[in-house]
Amino acid sequence: MPGSAHHGVRAWWDALVTVAAGVAAMFAVAAPGLWAAGAGGLPGGAFLAVLAATVVTAVGGTVELSGDAGFVASTAGGLNVVPLSVTLAGALTIAGMFLRPLRHRAVASGSELLAAVARTALLWLVAVALIAAGARHTFRIDLGDSIVEDIGEALGATPEVGFRAAVAPTLGFALLWLLVLLAVATAVSRRTPLPSRLLRFQDSVRPAAFAMLVVLLGYVVMGLLVGVVVLIVRGHAAETAAVLLLGLPNLVWLAFGVGLGGSWDGRVPGDDIGLPVPKAFAAVLRERDGKDATVNLSSLAEYDGRAWLLVALAVVALLAAGFVAAARSPARTRPWQHAVRLGVALAVTLLVVGLLTRISARFGLSLLGLGDLGGLGGEVSLRPRLLVLTGLGLLWGLLAGFLGSLPAARVRRRGEVSEERR
């Protein structure tokens, strides 16, 4: 009985450490990123609230914008964007801490794994609820010499705008985020034991899943190196650091999808995005007569011919992924099986990349109910063509899985006995 109680306390402690470490990692990445982006100078002590809102959006939550100036003016809008640098920091930390107690185990029952997931999920929901509660702030709108300012002063109505996290949807999406993360982490890690009923799937799922993880993280590492070089050579240290700490995976994973032939539709009002993203990308997205622009290889190449290098980079990455997946699979696996498994894995990966790189942000100010005022409303959007992206992933994965498995046939697998020793 004492041993059972000690095991229960230890299990809850492991879950608490996992959640605390993940939250700390996200705050540690988001805080300097926001500071570099200029959020440190927000009025009214809004930095901490913006920081909490950033973490909320990093786990799939939604931030709502609203405000009013009595009956004179009202504001409305919404923000749906995932700062994937923050997301990735939290995901890697939570996955590593969750799997750590299991890596030295030979077997693990299904009930044991489910109990570990349930403990982590419960504490995770508590942490997200507390963060979401702090993700709210209201501050005054400075409209200068506009007509709204004059009317507001005359009537004693001060225009204000605020933001807050939508708690219920945030908790739902955060729970889904955690469950998917833990499922992927368990599927990728070869050292983590699986319940006996799932052992038959490990040879078909784990090698391809691990290969896709290597590709995504490889793109992030390459993007980080390029960002550091840009920071040193071209300056703009604060802006570049903001991109690296908030949205690096957003850019590099979009580049991965574009290199495979994928497309995104979107718009950005004005002439400047505000952060030092690639010039070709910014030029394509600039709003043109209210119409959406299409981000793909051809549109990017119109502004920078080096965009075609994304194809070569994607091909090399996928061939490497095909080799890695085949080398980690049993020797009896046939080339067509490697192709099918990598095709499915890449299709799912690009589907997730498309969903995570979506952007939807809108803010408007209406006067006396007469709609958005021209210079005070705007919309930023970026939407993937998911069906095309998923189909391309399947086709590219089939080809890369087959070709990558051919040189892997000469690689000795773990636990394989050579013909001489036989």
Side-chain angles (χ1 to χ4, degrees):
M1 191 71 177
S4 176
H6 179 269
H7 176 73
V9 172
R10 177 67 182 181
W12 279 102
W13 173 254
D14 289 337
L16 178 61
V17 170
T18 297
V19 172
V23 171
M26 286 189 283
F27 274 98
V29 173
L34 289 172
W35 194 273
L42 289 174
F47 179 76
L48 292 179
V50 172
L51 178 59
T54 302
V55 174
V56 163
T57 57
V59 297
T62 301
V63 174
E64 299 175 345
L65 306 176
S66 62
D68 62 76
F71 69 91
V72 178
S74 64
T75 61
L79 177 65
N80 185 10
V81 58
V82 182
L84 287 178
S85 293
V86 181
T87 303
L88 185 61
L92 293 177
T93 303
I94 290 175
M97 298 300 294
F98 178 80
L99 297 177
R100 183 176 55 87
L102 301 173
R103 287 179 175 175
H104 301 292
R105 303 277 301 277
V107 293
S109 65
S111 59
E112 185 178 3
L113 280 177
L114 289 176
V117 171
R119 287 188 292 267
T120 305
L122 179 60
L123 295 177
W124 172 250
L125 288 177
V126 173
V128 172
L130 293 175
I131 296 171
R136 59 177 61 206
H137 191 79
T138 302
F139 47 88
R140 185 177 183 275
I141 304 174
D142 184 7
L143 300 177
D145 297 327
S146 70
I147 186 173
V148 178
E149 187 77 15
D150 296 337
I151 295 176
E153 290 182 357
L155 300 179
T158 303
E160 293 181 340
V161 65
F163 65 88
R164 64 180 181 87
V167 178
T170 293
L171 291 178
F173 284 116
L175 178 60
L176 178 62
W177 181 89
L178 179 71
L179 295 179
V180 172
L181 169 63
L182 297 183
V184 171
T186 304
V188 168
S189 176
R190 188 160 59 177
R191 296 181 180 180
T192 302
L194 292 175
S196 57
R197 295 182 179 180
L198 299 179
L199 289 176
R200 58 178 176 172
F201 298 109
Q202 66 178 354
D203 290 338
S204 60
V205 174
R206 279 184 164 172
F210 178 80
M212 289 298 96
L213 178 63
V214 169
V215 170
L216 294 181
L217 293 182
Y219 264 81
V220 172
V221 172
M222 286 187 291
L224 181 61
L225 294 176
V226 171
V228 171
V229 171
V230 170
L231 188 149
I232 296 174
V233 175
R234 298 184 181 179
H236 303 289
E239 295 87 347
T240 303
V243 172
L244 296 180
L245 291 170
L246 295 176
L248 176 61
N250 299 69
L251 290 176
V252 297
W253 292 348
L254 185 144
F256 176 50
V258 168
L260 296 178
S263 298
W264 276 255
D265 297 321
R267 67 171 66 182
V268 172
D271 296 329
D272 188 10
I273 289 181
L275 291 175
V277 299
K279 293 182 179 180
F281 178 71
V284 170
L285 278 180
R286 284 172 189 149
E287 194 174 62
R288 302 173 182 175
D289 300 328
K291 297 181 179 179
D292 287 350
T294 299
V295 180
N296 55 26
L297 278 171
S298 60
S299 64
L300 291 175
E302 291 180 4
Y303 295 92
D304 192 340
R306 292 174 297 180
W308 293 105
L309 293 176
L310 296 177
V311 179
L313 181 60
V315 169
V316 172
L318 286 185
L319 289 177
F323 176 83
V324 169
R328 292 172 68 92
S329 299
R332 65 181 181 274
T333 308
R334 298 178 180 179
W336 70 267
Q337 292 176 306
H338 291 303
V340 171
R341 293 169 183 175
L342 194 66
V344 173
L346 182 57
V348 173
T349 299
L350 289 182
L351 175 63
V352 173
V353 166
L355 293 173
L356 291 178
T357 53
R358 290 187 305 174
I359 297 175
S360 176
R362 185 177 183 277
F363 182 79
L365 178 62
S366 64
L367 177 64
L368 298 176
L370 298 180
D372 287 347
L373 297 179
L376 301 174
E379 180 179 0
V380 178
S381 64
L382 191 65
R383 302 179 306 277
R385 299 182 182 179
L386 290 177
L387 186 60
V388 174
L389 199 60
T390 305
L392 288 170
L394 180 60
L395 294 177
W396 277 104
L398 289 171
L399 181 61
F402 182 84
L403 296 178
S405 68
L406 299 181
R410 301 181 180 181
V411 177
R412 182 181 300 175
R413 272 67 165 181
R414 177 185 296 182
E416 190 177 11
V417 181
S418 65
E419 289 293 334
E420 293 79 359
R421 293 190 62 181
R422 290 176 189 162

